[in-house]
Amino acid sequence: MTQDSMQTAVLPVRSGFGLPLLLLSAAGLLGLSALLAGQTAPAVAWPWLLGVLALLLVGAVGIRQSAQGESRTARILPAAANLILAVLAAEAVLRAYAVPTGLIPTPSKVAQSLWAARTVLLQDAYYTFVLEALLGFVVGTLAGLGLALLAVRFRILERGVLPYAALLSSVPIVALAPVVIKAAGLGWPSKTIIVAITVLFPVVINAVRGLQSAQPMHLDLMHSYAASPAQIFREVRWPSALPFIFTALRVSSTLALINAIVAEFFGTEGHGLGFRIQIEVGRFGLDIVWAAIVVASVIGISFYLLISALERFVLRRN
Amino acid sequence: MTILPRAPRRPSNLLPMLGVALAALLLYWPLMLWANSGQAARSLASGADLGCKTALACATQLRNPVIPAPGQFATGFTSLSVPPLAPTSAPYNALVTGGETLLGLALASVLGLVLATLLVRSRSFERATLPCLVASQTVPIVALAPMLAVLLGQYGVQGFLPKAIIAAYIAFFPIAIGMAQGLRSPDPLQLDLMRTYRASPAQVFGLLQVPASLPYLFTSLKVAATAALVGSIVAEISTISFSGLGKMLAENSRASDTVALWVIMIYGAALGIVLVALIGGLERLVTRWRPPA
């Protein structure tokens, strides 16, 4: 933080110059890409690289300027600018060095492929997200909550099963996937089972921890009110468990999609983002691979944000 | 749910754990028969000569059972584990995968420390990169593994290293976040004390902040270990590799050798557990000054 304030003092630019600098950098990078679009490939690439680096430096100063203060733009703009400038710089550098699409496709090529293959990718996303990740997430969460309730109710189960759950959560899912797929078939249900298993362990561990996190004072109080076990559960144990459960859900929301994709590497009936990625890598169709990754990322981030929003909503009401 | 005063010492979990293991073993036999008899009945109906009369009798002798019978498990284990260091045996390949994962974790720790230092030092760096880093974690990074493997192969990075790089790529984020949290963890009192000693910023960093961040590093390493293991196995599957659990999984998955897949699954599970235990042991060794949790 001291460096930040020093930088502001040393640089002869006021913080109001952040946005213009960013726009200048972005426009410059766009211009470089446009200049490169006409010809096949420049004979010498390094002047272009130098130009890109210079413009990135301008952008970095812009980011630094716009990150000052506590306003809403100061929080959001730097990250967004970082992402956009990185994509633009990648476009310019890849064009300058004429990197073949089979190796690293340019962002614009990925965008084109994304649009061209949108129906196939959306169908893949339906299989991977709705049928496998989401369904597995729901099944795994419900099973995990049920198991946690049993474990809290019967101490013997907690002491016998929970250590195994902690142990099994460090098992790599890929080792499990082929066996489950051989047993349950190549269709989507086998992937749903795998997702459910991966979601199960964090939910069980966190739910048990949460259900036991009720403060002894509160439990004593409820006891002196002659509350029934059901009332104690509803009024004290469940509310105090909710934050723990939502932590597990947030972690598993990303795990669910990732594991659905990984499980698809081991056999499908020809649907799903993981299948698409594997097939296209084999054919060096890396523009489709990147497009599939973009689709998966958008879904993953949305799902994560959705669970976080649900968490805030539920926790505020309790 | 009666309220009892908390017992001073918790009883050992060993007995209930053994009980659950026993129950699982008892369930295993009927479950195996049930899972396999359907396939056995179908084989018999198609006129295959399995050398047995009824579906139930055949359930323990299928070539590719859904759940292997104890005898099949035993033969599968011995054929894959003896001799333990042959290139086709599971223990050797587990060692290779474990080595790749550990190298990846080491790379990730170095990268994580650098990133965490930058994150703690500069607020504009934090604002510009942290949201992107967080978002990158909801991205199925493993989906990048096949592509990264191809890419690294193009530039001549081959053998052990690409798998370690992919493992590191997957593991560095939790480590960077954990380290950043750890570097911030010394309280103002301790920082003040360092100032009264006239410690230079480098000394504050090396003598106070880095040691304080070590427990955080190990906590995140444990989280990252499993993810890194998944990364190196996926990397082995999607590159041309000649050893490693991932290569064994891919081969036997293509050959539909179910017994071998079960054996490899157990080796993979054991490897994951051993890696986490290893990091736990290292933690106890390095952070001696902390009271055991």
Side-chain angles (χ1 to χ4, degrees):
Chain A
M1 254 165 253
T2 45
Q3 284 196 341
D4 274 358
S5 45
M6 256 171 58
Q7 200 73 32
T8 343
V10 168
L11 282 174
V13 211
R14 289 206 320 274
S15 51
F17 280 87
L19 193 60
L21 281 177
L22 286 177
L23 288 177
L24 176 71
S25 170
L29 287 170
L30 264 179
L32 281 186
S33 295
L35 282 178
L36 282 162
Q39 60 218 84
T40 43
V44 274
W46 64 266
W48 295 95
L49 185 65
L50 272 184
V52 169
L53 287 180
L55 284 169
L56 275 183
L57 201 67
V58 172
V61 175
I63 287 176
R64 172 146 254 182
Q65 294 299 321
S66 58
Q68 309 298 330
E70 293 298 323
S71 65
R72 204 175 159 76
T73 28
R75 285 167 203 280
I76 297 169
L77 186 63
N82 190 9
L83 194 68
I84 293 167
L85 289 183
V87 169
L88 290 176
E91 176 87 35
V93 170
L94 289 176
R95 281 188 182 183
Y97 280 89
V99 178
T101 308
L103 210 50
I104 314 174
T106 56
S108 59
K109 181 88 181 87
V110 172
Q112 279 171 21
S113 305
L114 184 64
W115 182 248
R118 61 189 183 281
T119 40
V120 177
L121 287 175
L122 277 181
Q123 202 192 359
D124 285 339
Y126 171 72
Y127 271 89
T128 304
F129 179 65
V130 179
L131 293 180
E132 293 167 11
L134 195 60
L135 198 61
F137 181 78
V138 171
V139 171
T141 306
L142 291 180
L145 287 179
L147 208 61
L149 289 179
L150 281 178
V152 172
R153 182 70 189 79
F154 304 104
R155 285 300 304 275
I156 191 83
L157 211 60
E158 183 203 333
R159 288 164 53 197
V161 175
L162 268 198
Y164 286 113
L167 213 62
L168 286 177
S169 63
S170 57
V171 166
I173 183 62
V174 271
L176 200 77
V179 170
V180 174
I181 287 173
K182 281 280 175 305
L186 289 175
W188 57 266
S190 56
K191 267 72 80 180
T192 312
I193 294 171
I194 293 167
V195 171
I197 293 172
T198 46
V199 172
L200 180 73
F201 293 114
V203 171
V204 169
I205 293 169
N206 272 29
V208 168
R209 207 180 292 160
L211 286 170
Q212 288 171 341
S213 72
Q215 288 186 8
M217 280 275 279
H218 292 170
L219 292 175
D220 273 346
L221 186 66
M222 290 304 278
H223 201 54
S224 58
Y225 287 160
S228 68
Q231 280 174 322
I232 293 183
F233 180 80
R234 213 173 44 233
E235 300 295 330
V236 177
R237 282 191 187 270
W238 182 248
S240 61
L242 274 177
F244 288 83
I245 294 172
F246 269 109
T247 305
L249 290 188
R250 242 185 310 121
V251 173
S252 339
S253 68
T254 58
L255 273 185
L257 186 64
I258 291 172
N259 284 321
I261 288 177
V262 171
E264 281 172 3
F265 290 167
F266 287 94
T268 55
E269 288 175 332
H271 302 286
L273 292 171
F275 166 79
R276 191 68 52 202
I277 288 168
Q278 209 190 15
I279 284 288
E280 292 294 335
V281 163
R283 300 200 313 210
F284 287 87
L286 287 185
D287 45 341
I288 299 283
V289 174
W290 274 105
I293 289 172
V294 168
V295 171
S297 317
V298 170
I299 294 173
I301 292 169
S302 319
F303 191 36
Y304 180 85
L305 291 179
L306 193 76
I307 298 285
S308 309
L310 192 71
E311 176 182 13
R312 274 196 301 276
F313 177 71
V314 170
L315 292 187
R316 200 183 301 145
R317 279 189 53 197
N318 274 284
Chain B
M1 276 183 208
T2 48
I3 298 137
L4 294 168
R6 186 151 288 179
R9 249 188 74 216
R10 289 178 66 110
S12 158
N13 285 338
L14 195 63
L15 227 67
M17 277 180 80
L18 280 178
V20 169
L22 200 69
L25 271 182
L26 286 178
L27 274 176
Y28 159 65
W29 186 257
L31 194 68
M32 185 268 296
L33 287 180
W34 173 76
N36 290 346
S37 60
Q39 205 188 336
R42 249 176 287 129
S43 302
L44 280 178
S46 69
D49 183 19
L50 297 172
C52 43
K53 294 263 158 39
T54 61
L56 215 56
C58 289
T60 56
Q61 300 167 23
L62 288 172
R63 281 270 307 283
N64 286 311
V66 178
I67 302 176
Q72 293 175 316
F73 251 129
T75 31
F77 250 114
T78 44
S79 72
L80 278 179
S81 313
V82 179
L85 287 182
T88 50
S89 77
Y92 167 76
N93 286 294
L95 275 181
V96 170
T97 306
E100 288 163 3
T101 310
L102 283 179
L103 185 61
L105 284 175
L107 284 175
S109 302
V110 174
L111 188 63
L113 178 62
V114 172
L115 255 176
T117 313
L118 287 172
L119 282 176
V120 172
R121 278 298 170 88
S122 160
R123 200 176 44 161
S124 30
F125 183 80
E126 184 189 335
R127 280 193 170 158
T129 48
L130 196 59
C132 295
L133 285 177
V134 171
S136 81
Q137 285 309 292
T138 61
V139 173
I141 296 181
V142 197
L144 291 173
M147 199 187 50
L148 268 178
V150 171
L151 202 64
L152 290 171
Q154 284 289 322
Y155 289 108
V157 185
Q158 267 164 6
F160 214 65
L161 207 55
K163 287 106 185 177
I165 290 176
I166 289 168
Y169 181 53
I170 290 175
F172 88 91
F173 174 78
I175 295 176
I177 296 298
M179 288 290 273
Q181 215 179 346
L183 290 175
R184 287 205 181 100
S185 67
D187 61 58
L189 226 64
Q190 292 165 321
L191 289 171
D192 275 347
L193 185 65
M194 291 303 271
R195 201 165 305 146
T196 53
Y197 288 159
R198 266 197 87 202
S200 67
Q203 280 173 323
V204 174
F205 185 73
L207 295 175
L208 177 61
Q209 288 184 307
V210 170
S213 73
L214 282 179
Y216 291 83
L217 169 68
F218 281 108
T219 309
S220 38
L221 267 181
K222 279 184 214 158
V223 177
T226 317
L229 184 55
V230 172
S232 42
I233 291 179
V234 171
E236 282 166 3
I237 292 169
S238 46
T239 48
I240 306 162
S241 35
F242 303 102
S243 52
L245 285 181
K247 171 234 157 203
M248 288 188 87
L249 275 179
E251 262 180 7
N252 289 301
S253 183
R254 244 174 271 135
S256 287
D257 188 346
T258 347
V259 181
L261 283 179
W262 274 85
V263 173
I264 299 164
M265 176 179 85
I266 291 167
Y267 268 105
L271 181 60
I273 292 165
V274 166
L275 276 178
V276 173
L278 213 67
I279 293 167
L282 195 65
E283 175 180 15
R284 270 192 295 281
L285 207 70
V286 173
T287 58
R288 279 255 176 85
W289 69 89
R290 291 182 83 219

